[in-house]
Amino acid sequence: MTASRTDVLVVGGTGVDTIVRVPDLAVPAGDSAQVPPVLDHVGHTGNGVALGLHHLGRAVEFIDFLGEDLQGRMVLERYEKEGLAFSHTVSPHGTPRGVNLVDDQGRRFSFFDARHPADLRLPREFALPFLERARHVHMSIVGHNRDLFADLAALDATVSTDLHDWDGENPYHLDYALNADLVFMSAAAVHGRVDGVLARILERGRARLAVATDGAAGSRVLERGRDRPRHFPAVAPERPVVDANGAGDAFISGFLHRYLAGAPVAECALAGAVAGAFTCTTAGTHTAFADAAELDRLTVAAAAAWPAADRP
């Protein structure tokens, strides 16, 4: 009997984030400062995409390394509570962590604990059964999954990835940029070069489309066969912004949710913008996600403000 297929497999990218709220992102004078309570949250990029799609009703599986430590137990408890299908193999290096500074405007700066060594790899015999039953695979840029692209090339699943704040040059990201059908990234490190970087991703790799998100400036989406990217505006959330942690991951989950349903790109970009804005209204990393009904309601409300040519 063949196992039922999952909508999305997320490969890599779980851990624990420590959130420190500060007045601004500059280091203050002196050697200490009082801050609001410092809190730990299960987070990191794969976690955000997996939970975002899970809350939208997608059949999701998530695989990764995990340490046999307090942080690993936090991760397992969160996923059991959420009902997220998560499987792991033990890393002797422990569970990755991050420290995120978040200012009064909700902006953040992340210090990522890259504890896994460069030669660490997810065992093929562990990962392959998950790859084979997935309709779509999202590859986090964690390094230890990069050898799986060889298996993905022989399967019929579509593939996405998030390059985060790639500068358009760092070779670490190239396996991901050139071997995914949908490539997401932040514009943070390529301002003034966004269009060129998106074009090179499509020229050099297999991508059908490449997306650069830029916070309040919205997003730019380049599809194969088009001469230039389309710009899509940001969406103002219904409540005040308090924390931008996880907004990019939520954007991807909203975009993919619509994309996997066969929606046009403008509708996908709107859903991504809405999902990203929604998660900015709660404190902490990946603490709240829109469900399918809420995403539908918010996209209908936001669509009227979009350019007429791209209005879903």
Side-chain angles (χ1 to χ4, degrees):
M1 181 176 178
T2 303
S4 60
R5 300 197 72 181
T6 52
D7 292 333
V8 181
L9 170 67
V10 178
V11 185
T14 191
V16 172
D17 284 336
T18 297
I19 307 299
V20 183
R21 300 200 67 89
V22 294
D24 57 62
L25 297 182
V27 177
D31 61 5
S32 67
Q34 289 188 336
V35 296
V38 175
L39 301 174
D40 290 336
H41 298 274
V42 175
H44 295 197
T45 182
N47 173 79
V49 175
L51 281 176
L53 286 163
H54 175 68
H55 279 263
L56 288 169
R58 290 287 173 181
V60 178
E61 289 189 313
F62 185 15
I63 61 173
D64 201 3
F65 280 109
L66 205 63
E68 291 184 316
D69 47 26
L70 174 61
Q71 290 72 35
R73 292 195 293 275
M74 285 180 62
V75 170
L76 293 175
E77 289 171 3
R78 171 78 187 275
Y79 296 160
E80 182 178 6
K81 180 179 179 180
E82 294 276 1
L84 177 67
F86 177 74
S87 299
H88 73 283
T89 189
V90 173
S91 168
H93 309 284
T95 303
R97 303 193 64 178
V99 176
N100 297 342
L101 305 184
V102 182
D103 72 9
D104 289 342
Q105 288 74 50
R107 298 174 301 178
R108 68 90 188 263
F109 189 90
S110 249
F111 297 91
F112 179 65
D113 167 9
R115 67 177 62 213
H116 290 319
D119 61 352
L120 184 70
R121 294 292 184 270
L122 273 175
R124 181 174 184 267
E125 62 273 16
F126 164 74
L128 191 56
F130 296 96
L131 299 179
E132 290 175 336
R133 63 173 174 260
R135 293 186 175 92
H136 181 84
V137 178
H138 182 77
M139 297 281 282
S140 302
I141 57 165
V142 290
H144 57 251
N145 59 8
R146 66 173 69 242
D147 289 357
L148 299 177
F149 279 116
D151 290 303
L152 284 169
L155 299 174
D156 63 356
T158 52
V159 181
S160 60
T161 194
D162 180 7
L163 306 179
H164 295 275
D165 57 344
W166 187 39
D167 62 3
E169 305 293 340
N170 189 336
Y172 175 92
H173 300 72
L174 286 178
D175 284 339
Y176 300 92
L178 303 184
N179 289 290
D181 302 289
L182 290 81
V183 177
F184 298 90
M185 63 179 291
S186 163
V190 291
H191 284 293
R193 298 187 290 122
V194 173
D195 290 5
V197 170
L198 295 180
R200 284 194 296 277
I201 289 171
L202 268 61
E203 289 166 2
R204 297 182 60 188
R206 61 181 267 183
R208 304 174 185 179
L209 60 85
V211 182
T213 58
D214 196 11
S219 65
R220 296 185 72 77
V221 181
L222 179 60
E223 299 171 73
R224 186 170 293 280
R226 282 184 172 261
D227 293 334
R228 62 186 64 186
R230 283 191 284 172
H231 172 257
F232 297 101
V235 169
E238 291 184 333
R239 300 186 301 275
V241 171
V242 296
D243 194 337
N245 279 298
D249 303 324
F251 178 99
I252 291 171
S253 67
F255 192 106
L256 285 178
H257 178 60
R258 289 285 194 261
Y259 183 87
L260 294 174
V265 166
E267 186 175 334
C268 298
L270 175 60
V274 165
F278 180 90
T279 202
C280 290
T281 63
T282 58
T285 304
H286 306 149
T287 54
F289 299 90
D291 62 19
E294 185 76 347
L295 186 70
D296 288 344
R297 181 186 71 81
L298 292 170
T299 52
V300 168
W306 276 48
D310 293 316
R311 192 171 298 157

